[in-house]
Amino acid sequence: MMDTLLDVEDLWVRFPSRQGVFDAVRGVSFTLGRERLGIVGESGSGKSMTGRAILRLIRPPGIVEAKQIALNGDNLMEKSEKDMRAVRGQKISMVMQDPKFSLNPVMTIGAQIIEAYRQHNRTNHADAYAKAVEMLQAVSIRDADRVMRAYPHEMSGGMGQRVMIAMMLIPNPQILIADEPTSALDVSVQRQVLDIMDGLVKERGMGLIFISHDLNLVADFCDRVLIMYAGRIVEVCEASKLSQAKHPYTRGLLNALPRLDAPRDHLEVLQRDPAWSTAPSVSGRVA
Amino acid sequence: MALADNNGGAQGRAPLPKWLTGTVKTLGSIAVTMLGLVFITFIIGRVMPIDPVLAIVGERATKASYDAVYLQLGLDKPLIVQFFYYVRDVAQGNFGMSLLNARPVAEDIARVFPATLELASLGVIFGVVLGVPLGVVAAVRKGSWIDQVARVLALVGYSMPIFWLGLMGLLVFYGMLGWVGGPGRVGIFYEDVVPTVTGMLLVDSIIDGNWTVFKDAFSHIILPASLLGYYSLAYISRMTRSFMLEQLSAEYITTARVKGMSEWDVVWKHAFRNIRVQLITVIALSYAGLLEGSVLTEIIFSWPGIGSYITTALLAADMNAVLGGTVVVGLIFILLNIASDLLYKVFDPRAR
Ligand SMILES: Nc1ncnc2c1ncn2[C@@H]1O[C@H](COP(=O)(O)OP(=O)(O)O)[C@@H](O)[C@H]1O
Ligand SMILES: [Mg+2]
């Protein structure tokens, strides 16, 4: 059996409010090995909250509860905030949706990448600079020296996202959480950015959690897929066997996709069964 | 690649260097704004029902001396020519004579403005040094006791009349406790002791190395400066808080946390850097407000600044003094605006 990097068991994310407690994530369990694990679901199904809870980045008043979130057998739930800071970036990192918002607008690209590296590595500026340039080249940026001096607003979406990937991989983490990393990009560069990310993740033997609302993309890109609905995992599937998925929600998502090879006159509207959101979460753990 | 797109645009002739066009534009806008301001004060001076000749020669002057002054002031010329003369005079720092003390207005302003500058600068320094960190902490610890304290402090600052606070301050810290000097800029024994260089007593006494005068001047300025500082603190801390709250919910803050940065670095290295431009506007506004001369404060503390100067002149219908003071205050506004524009470009790469 492949080795388990991350073991998430019974994860809940709750938001107390005046009307009562809203559970954004409801008892989700899964493991991650050196693989590409997809998390798919419609908007609001709790995908981002799951990703952020792993990094313990849910801000108060949000509450995270879990039996364990174990990184190499080490339970992150028991760590102090200070110890978590050594995990973030260095062990687990995250790429967010839109580089327009996820990069600091008043700092140069270079300063932001160097900062990510030096957060976890004691080196002088020159070494960090060289390392950052090397990393930019690894994400296929040719004139790296110029990009180092540029500001985020001078960059296209595709470039910005490659910069994000470089920045998040520079401390050499074991796990990358990519939260809709291409949803804000032009279709023409989506594939390129994905390929760059995929190449680096494979080369470094990392685990990847790939969050998307696009079932097609996930089916193509991942090894294993968790399908989320209303804070729960409703089905777990090998990506290659997605067409054999049984859950009506998954089938609905599949049917809702337009297909070039089998055109249809109209797309089906997904019919939801209230029972789906009360059924217990399916486990995505691999023993 | 998007980076290459920046070089489009200018074609044909070699473009002028950017700093040159920028400087020319800035100087041009100063000139135009000043001209507009001078035009307005000129018009005000003409429509006021005060005869400038009578004001000089007095009610009982002979017809001959009246006419002489009439010609001397150029009042026989067309209005446009008069305006030209006025602009020429103002450009040379000549605002005419004051009716009250028969001295050049420019000399009066050179004496009262440093007093206001000193008071306003110290006030705004208080406001910034205390208000900015208070606003940042209130945003970071939103809803905590410190946020509540900051809220109440600002609310009191907004709603308390300044003359009441000023009188209370004098009563308690000067009258009862004797911790600070009373009204005026300096004790009567220390007047005109240090040579005037900048006109700001604190600075001049440092230049002269006279610490006795410095201490005395400081004990006089501390109370009115704290009072003005408190008002600017109230405004600056509220604005800082709301700017910070907006930035702290931005996605790049999450990025900084994902990197493993400490909360201190997230707040100061990332969020704070992004509010500097907005803060500059707020501080410049606050400073400009104080430089205009806080009339009430200057009156309560017998502070011989530009606010009380203009007010006194206005009540005495001393138009040359009023207009001269107005032009100077206007110039300060324009200069502060330009300074904050320049700082924008330093702090925000998108504004370059
Ligand atoms: N701060 C918050 N307070 C209350 N509810 C929240 C908060 N943040 C997110 N949620 C809710 O949590 C649910 C899951 O959100 P999210 O994980 O972002 O969904 P997605 O699957 O689209 O990434 C959503 O219904 C959202 O409204
Ligand atoms: Mg999301």
Side-chain angles (χ1 to χ4, degrees), chain A residues 13-17 22-25 41-52 58-62 179-180 211 213 228 231:
Chain A
V13 177
R14 304 176 200 269
F15 291 100
S17 72
F22 175 75
D23 296 324
V25 177
E42 62 192 359
S43 171
S45 53
K47 309 181 296 290
S48 295
M49 291 303 131
T50 303
R52 279 162 203 228
I58 308 286
R59 309 287 300 167
D179 190 349
E180 312 249 13
I211 296 173
H213 62 275
M228 280 189 79

Side-chain angles (χ1 to χ4, degrees), chain A residues 52 57 59 85 88-89 94 96 101-102 104-105 107 112 115 119-120 142 146 151 153 156 159 167, chain B residues 1-4 6 251-252 254-255 257-263 270 273-274 347 349-350 352:
Chain A
R52 279 162 203 228
L57 281 175
R59 309 287 300 167
R85 282 179 34 217
R88 293 184 195 130
M94 178 162 77
M96 275 98 66
F101 303 119
S102 48
N104 189 328
M107 287 172 74
Q112 298 187 56
E115 177 186 78
Q119 190 66 37
H120 303 289
R142 274 165 295 145
R146 180 141 152 241
Y151 285 93
H153 73 276
S156 67
M159 276 267 271
M167 192 163 88
Chain B
M1 226 178 292
L3 265 179
N6 286 344
E251 194 76 328
Y252 72 84
T254 308
T255 304
R257 292 196 174 112
V258 170
K259 286 178 183 176
M261 297 185 76
S262 68
E263 208 47 32
H270 281 269
R273 275 194 195 188
N274 276 276
F347 288 139
R350 288 161 297 188
R352 274 168 215 160

